Amino acid sequence: MPGGVLFLILCTISAVGYVMGRRKAVSVSGGDSRVMHSLLPYHGWNVALAAFLVGLSVMVLWSLLRLLFGFTDPGNNIVSVLSLAAALLAGWTNYARIERNYRARNVVELMMKGILIFASSIAIFTTIAIVLSMLFETTHFFRDYSWTRFFFGLKWSPNFSGNSDLGMLPLLWGTLYVSFIALLVAVPIGLFAAIYLSEYAGPRLRAVAKPMLEILAGIPTIVYGLFALITVGPILRDYFAQPLGLADSGSSVMTAGIVMGVMLIPFVSSLSDDIINAVPQAMRDGSYGLGATPSETIKQVVIPAALPGIVGAILLAASRAIGETMIVVMGAGAAAKLSLNPFEAMTTVTVKIVSQLTGDTDFASPETLVAFALGITLFVLTLGLNVLALYIVRRYREQYE
Amino acid sequence: MNDMRMVERQVGTKPIKISGRNVQVYYGDSHAIKDVNVDIEDNTVTAFIGPSGCGKSTFLRCLNRMNDTIDICRVEGTITLDGEDIYDKKVDPVQLRAKVGMVFQKPNPFPKSIYDNVAYGPRIHGLARSKAELDEIVERSLRRGAIWDEVKDRLNAPGTGLSGGQQQRLCIARAVATEPEVLLMDEPCSALDPIATAQVEELIDELRETYSVVIVTHSMQQAARVSQKTAFFHLGELVEFGETGDIFTNPKDSRTESYITGRIG
C-alpha cells in the first residue's frame, strides 16, 4: 500500500491506542484517579506514542536499508506488514503494563524528550551534510585546479573550452566592497532610526513608523534589484560618475551597495530597536535622576548597555550583505574586476556561483566545480563573522551584567 | 518604637527648601495626589509614609519632575525650590534634577565600572576640570556613600558585580557626586538586608548635614529612626505632617493612628 495510507493507518492505531489506554486506566483506577501513579491521559498517550514512534521508526529504517542495499519492495508490502506489526506490538506491550503503580507519565516524558532531541538535531545534521557535500565537490575541484591559483589568483576569466583563470580575489574584493558600502549606508541610518523610534518617538508615531520600516524588510530582493537597475544606477551615473569622469556604466559597486544598504536598514533598525527597548527603564531613570539629558543618557548609558546586541545585529546584517545575490546582479553587473573605483561595475562571489552553475554544464570541469569552492569560502566567511559576533556579544555581556 | 531617639530631635527652625501648594497629580483620569501642601526643610530628613498606592512615591517624583518621563502624568499646583516654581516654563528639568538628586528603590548602577558610575554626574555637568579633580570627587563621594573601603582596590570593576547593598550605596555615592541640594530616596532599603539597611540609614543621617533628604519608606521603624519630619499619605491625600516624634507618639488624625498601630495599610 502507498506510504501515505500506511501513515494514516499508523495514526489511527495510535488514536485507538489512546482511547484504549485511557479506558483501561479508568477501569484499573476503579473510579478514583488519585490511586494511579500517573494522571489518566498519560496512560492514553503512553500507548499512542509508543505505537506511533515504533511504527514510524520501522518505516524510516526500512527506507534507509533499501537505499543502502538497493533491494526492491513492490507495493511496499513488506514494510507495511512490518511497521504495522511493530506498532501494534509496541502499543500492546505498553497497554498490558497499565496498572496502578505504572509510571506512565515518566515514560511519556521520556518519549517526548526524545522527539525534541530529534527535532533539534535535524538542523545540526543538515548543516553537517551541506558542508560535507560542498567539501566533497571542492576536493574534486582542487584536484584539477591548484589551490594557490584559486585563492591568490588576481584574474577571473572562466573559459568553458578549458584553460581558464579562476582566481577568487576579484570576486572576494567585490563582495567585501559592496557589503562595506551597504553597511556604511545601513548601520548609521538603521541605528539612528532605532534610537529615534525607541527613545524619542511617541507611541502613536511608533505604531505607524515601525511597521512601515519593517515593510522594507518584506520587499523581495529582486524588486530592490529592479530599483537599482532602472533608478539608482542611472541617477548615480548621470549625476555623479559621468560628471566626475569616474566611469560611465549604470551598474556599479555604489549602486548595488546603496540599494543593499537600504534593504538592510530595517534589519539593523528593527533588531537594534528591540535591543534598546530591552535596556531596563531603571537605567534611564538613574541617569535622568542625576540630571542627564535624554541624549546624554542614550549616548552614555543606553547604547553601551545595548552594545553587544547592536554589534550582533550589525554582524547579522553583514552576513546578509555578503550572501546577497539579486541586487548585485542587477545593480553591480557581472564583470569580475579588482578596482578601487566605486562607480565601476564589479561582481561578487554569489553572482559567480549562479553564473557558473546555470545553463548546460557538466559537473566535472573545474569551471563548474569552482562554484563549490566559492560556496565553501563564503560559508567559512559568514561562519567566521557569526563566531566573531558571538565572541563580542559574550565578552561584553560579562562586563555588563 | 523603642529606637526613636527623641533626645536628638530639634524642633525645626531651619529654612524651607521645597514647598508644595495645592499639588494635584493625575495619571490619565485617575487623581493620584489630591491637594497636597507640604514644606520640606533644609538639613532635615523628611519621611513619607503610608500604605502602598497612597501616592507617596508619586509625590516624591514630582519634586524633581521625574514624572515628566511618564506621558499620561499631569501635575497641577505649585512646587517651589528655594522659592522658585520648578514647574515654571523657564525651568529646565535637566538642571533641576542636577540640584535634586534621586536614589531609586532598586539599585540601578550603570553597566560601567564603579569609577565611571560615580564620575557620570560630575562628567556630564562638568564639575571636574582635571583627572585629579575627578579622582578626588569620586573618592569623596564613595567615602560619603560609606563604600570606599570596600571598592577602593577595584574601581575599574563593573558596578553591576557588587552585592545589592553595595550597589545601593554606590547609587547613593553616584547621586552625591553630582553635589545636589536635595536628595530624594524612593524606598532605598527595600531591596537590602538588615545590615546594609543599617549602613544606609547611618549614611542618611550623615547626609542631613549637607542636604535636605526626603525618603519614602514602608518601614515605620525606619521613618522613626532616620527622619525628623514625617508626612503620612493616605489615598492620595497628605493626612498629617509634622515632627516625627509627634506623628508616632501623638498623632492628631485617627487615620494616622490606625496606620502606625497597624490597623490600616
Side-chain angles (χ1 to χ4, degrees):
Chain A
M1 69 187 77
V5 177
L6 184 57
F7 186 76
L8 278 182
I9 295 178
L10 208 54
C11 291
T12 319
I13 291 178
S14 352
V16 173
Y18 178 85
V19 176
M20 283 176 64
R22 205 192 136 101
R23 226 179 246 169
K24 184 174 173 195
V26 171
S27 76
V28 166
S29 71
D32 180 10
S33 63
R34 278 172 302 175
V35 301
M36 306 291 286
H37 166 269
S38 305
L39 293 173
L40 297 177
Y42 280 114
H43 290 280
W45 279 116
N46 181 28
V47 177
L49 275 176
F52 184 76
L53 290 179
V54 169
L56 201 65
S57 325
V58 170
M59 278 168 73
V60 172
L61 265 179
W62 180 261
S63 14
L64 278 180
L65 285 177
R66 221 169 43 165
L67 267 178
L68 283 178
F69 299 107
F71 56 82
T72 53
D73 177 15
N76 285 337
N77 285 330
I78 308 173
V79 64
S80 309
V81 173
L82 271 180
S83 74
L84 290 183
L88 285 173
L89 189 70
W92 181 256
T93 318
N94 277 10
Y95 178 75
R97 282 195 193 137
I98 295 175
E99 44 136 353
R100 291 191 173 188
N101 290 327
Y102 181 53
R103 307 200 157 193
R105 171 171 53 81
N106 306 39
V107 177
V108 169
E109 278 169 3
L110 199 71
M111 287 191 279
M112 281 311 297
K113 201 165 112 187
I115 294 174
L116 297 180
I117 291 173
F118 177 71
S120 46
S121 53
I122 280 183
I124 297 167
F125 285 124
T126 315
T127 316
I128 294 174
I130 290 173
V131 173
L132 282 182
S133 79
M134 290 214 298
L135 265 181
F136 187 68
E137 300 292 342
T138 308
T139 51
H140 276 282
F141 169 68
F142 285 129
R143 217 173 284 155
D144 295 340
Y145 196 87
S146 100
W147 65 271
T148 42
R149 273 178 74 199
F150 172 72
F151 281 114
F152 303 111
L154 296 177
K155 198 161 168 234
W156 174 271
S157 57
N159 186 349
F160 278 93
S161 53
N163 214 359
S164 36
D165 283 312
L166 300 172
M168 178 194 75
L169 284 182
L171 307 183
L172 194 64
W173 169 248
T175 302
L176 295 179
Y177 204 177
V178 173
S179 308
F180 175 73
I181 292 176
L183 289 179
L184 222 54
V185 173
V187 170
I189 297 180
L191 210 53
F192 286 179
I195 290 171
Y196 175 70
L197 281 181
S198 59
E199 301 290 318
Y200 291 103
R204 222 178 291 158
L205 182 71
R206 198 181 138 82
V208 180
K210 200 170 175 196
M212 290 283 277
L213 256 176
E214 274 160 9
I215 286 174
L216 270 181
I219 299 176
T221 56
I222 187 96
V223 177
Y224 281 107
L226 286 174
F227 181 57
L229 187 69
I230 60 172
T231 314
V232 180
I235 288 177
L236 282 177
R237 181 191 58 205
D238 296 342
Y239 294 98
F240 294 95
Q242 276 178 345
L244 293 171
L246 288 170
D248 43 27
S249 95
S251 0
S252 67
V253 172
M254 206 54 155
T255 312
I258 287 174
V259 175
M260 203 193 280
V262 173
M263 176 195 84
L264 292 176
I265 288 172
F267 220 71
V268 176
S269 77
S270 186
L271 282 171
S272 310
D273 178 61
D274 291 343
I275 292 154
I276 290 173
N277 269 328
V279 174
Q281 184 61 32
M283 294 284 150
R284 298 186 182 91
D285 282 349
S287 177
Y288 295 146
L290 293 170
T293 64
S295 75
E296 283 162 347
T297 304
I298 291 164
K299 269 184 292 190
Q300 302 195 27
V301 175
V302 176
I303 297 290
L307 196 65
I310 291 173
V311 171
I314 291 170
L315 289 178
L316 222 58
S319 301
R320 273 207 70 172
I322 289 172
E324 177 51 44
T325 316
M326 282 335 290
I327 293 178
V328 182
V329 178
M330 302 177 83
K337 225 177 281 173
L338 258 178
S339 163
L340 269 176
N341 184 350
F343 290 101
E344 233 176 298
M346 280 182 219
T347 196
T348 63
V349 176
T350 47
V351 173
K352 282 305 162 194
I353 292 179
V354 176
S355 65
Q356 292 313 102
L357 286 182
T358 40
D360 280 334
T361 49
D362 72 293
F363 276 80
S365 67
E367 284 77 18
T368 34
L369 287 175
V370 70
F372 296 98
L374 288 172
I376 206 151
T377 315
L378 209 58
F379 177 80
V380 171
L381 201 67
T382 44
L383 187 74
L385 265 183
N386 286 342
V387 170
L388 183 73
L390 272 180
Y391 170 77
I392 290 174
V393 168
R394 212 166 281 164
R395 204 189 116 114
Y396 278 89
R397 185 167 291 160
E398 274 171 9
Q399 207 170 326
Y400 282 139
E401 268 162 87
Chain B
M1 307 285 160
N2 296 326
D3 46 356
M4 288 171 55
R5 292 162 292 182
M6 294 291 291
V7 206
E8 293 174 27
R9 289 175 207 289
Q10 301 157 345
V11 175
T13 49
K14 299 188 177 101
I16 289 167
K17 190 75 187 168
I18 296 181
S19 134
R21 287 290 170 269
N22 306 322
V23 178
Q24 323 277 345
V25 180
Y26 302 87
Y27 282 116
D29 292 331
S30 78
H31 198 170
I33 296 282
K34 295 166 192 155
D35 215 20
V36 167
N37 292 292
V38 71
D39 285 323
I40 292 162
E41 292 167 5
D42 208 359
N43 300 106
T44 304
V45 177
T46 306
F48 289 175
I49 61 168
S52 293
C54 68
K56 54 194 189 306
S57 286
T58 300
F59 186 69
L60 188 79
R61 290 169 66 95
C62 290
L63 300 182
N64 69 343
R65 293 184 60 175
M66 278 303 279
N67 285 334
D68 287 14
T69 57
I70 301 167
D71 290 326
I72 55 163
C73 184
R74 198 153 48 82
V75 180
E76 285 171 12
T78 42
I79 299 175
T80 58
L81 174 71
D82 292 327
E84 278 178 55
D85 185 359
I86 63 169
Y87 279 89
D88 194 281
K89 283 207 172 58
K90 281 180 289 182
V91 173
D92 184 356
V94 168
Q95 282 174 312
L96 172 73
R97 291 186 201 126
K99 277 194 259 177
V100 185
M102 188 155 190
V103 174
F104 296 84
Q105 181 172 2
K106 248 181 79 187
N108 56 350
F110 300 135
K112 297 170 180 288
S113 71
I114 293 170
Y115 183 95
D116 287 338
N117 260 284
V118 181
Y120 184 81
R123 272 187 186 139
I124 57 176
H125 297 298
L127 298 181
R129 254 167 266 114
S130 64
K131 176 82 173 77
E133 213 173 322
L134 190 63
D135 288 347
E136 201 191 299
I137 294 178
V138 169
E139 180 177 342
R140 193 172 62 229
S141 309
L142 285 169
R143 279 191 197 282
R144 298 220 63 174
I147 193 181
W148 171 253
D149 290 331
E150 287 155 72
V151 300
K152 65 178 179 222
D153 299 322
R154 46 176 175 145
L155 291 176
N156 290 318
T160 41
L162 297 170
S163 74
Q166 289 174 323
Q167 286 190 8
Q168 191 64 304
R169 278 178 287 147
L170 175 66
C171 291
I172 294 174
R174 187 176 70 185
V176 167
T178 323
E179 292 178 18
E181 296 165 21
V182 181
L183 202 56
L184 308 177
M185 298 180 143
D186 190 357
E187 297 182 42
C189 298
S190 65
L192 305 186
D193 70 11
I195 296 169
T197 301
Q199 286 166 326
V200 171
E201 284 179 6
E202 202 175 319
L203 178 61
I204 292 170
D205 201 51
E206 286 168 24
L207 293 175
R208 177 162 68 97
E209 288 168 19
T210 351
Y211 311 108
S212 168
V213 179
V214 185
I215 177 171
V216 164
T217 177
H218 266 294
S219 152
M220 282 176 276
Q221 286 85 345
Q222 185 172 54
R225 281 195 299 264
V226 299
S227 73
Q228 286 78 48
K229 291 273 190 146
T230 296
F232 171 62
F233 285 81
H234 187 55
L235 301 174
E237 286 174 56
L238 177 62
V239 175
E240 197 168 344
F241 178 53
E243 294 293 322
T244 300
D246 290 344
I247 297 276
F248 281 102
T249 54
N250 189 18
K252 293 188 184 60
D253 196 290
S254 60
R255 284 171 292 177
T256 318
E257 192 184 354
S258 304
Y259 181 67
I260 60 173
T261 52
R263 263 176 285 156
I264 57 169

